[in-house]
Amino acid sequence: MPPAKYRQLFAKNISRAVMDTPIGPLRIVASQDTILCVEPANYLEKKTGQATDQVPADRIIPNAPSGDLVKACMRELKEYFVGQRQRFDLPLSPEGTSFQQKVWQQL
C-alpha cells in the first residue's frame, strides 16, 4: 500500500469500518465524496507486516458525508450477500497502478 493510502486512513475527514461478511471481514474506507477502499480487513497486516494494533480503528464520522458513505457501503454489501443486490450504486475512487486502473476500466 502506498504511503498516500496510509495518510488517507488517518486523515480527519476519512471514515472507516470493518464489517463481517460471508467471505471474511472487510475494511471500508471513504472520503467525503467517494469510497476509497474495500479490502480484506487483514490486508494491511499481511502486506506491510504491521501488527493489528497499528492499523487505524473503526471511525465513522457522524453527520459527515464520509460516514454516510461507509454506512451506505455496508448496507449495499449486506444486501449483496443476502442476494438482494447485484449492482452497487456508490461512487468509487480505487487507488492502483496505471495498469490496474486500465484493467478495472475494462471490467
Side-chain angles (χ1 to χ4, degrees), residues 8-67:
Q8 286 178 336
L9 288 173
F10 286 101
K12 291 183 180 179
N13 63 345
I14 300 294
S15 287
R16 57 190 175 263
V18 173
M19 71 177 282
D20 288 323
T21 74
I23 61 170
L26 295 177
R27 181 186 326 280
I28 302 164
V29 181
S31 68
Q32 298 294 316
D33 56 0
T34 188
I35 299 294
L36 299 171
C37 178
V38 177
E39 65 187 5
N42 63 353
Y43 178 77
L44 290 176
E45 294 88 336
K46 287 182 178 179
K47 178 125 174 124
T48 66
Q50 281 188 314
T52 303
D53 60 351
Q54 293 176 316
V55 175
D58 288 6
R59 180 184 73 178
I60 296 180
I61 302 171
N63 303 315
S66 65

Side-chain angles (χ1 to χ4, degrees), residues 76-77 79-89:
E76 287 195 7
L77 285 169
E79 291 169 355
Y80 172 79
F81 285 117
V82 297
Q84 296 174 343
R85 175 178 290 276
Q86 293 182 357
R87 297 182 61 87
F88 297 92
D89 302 324

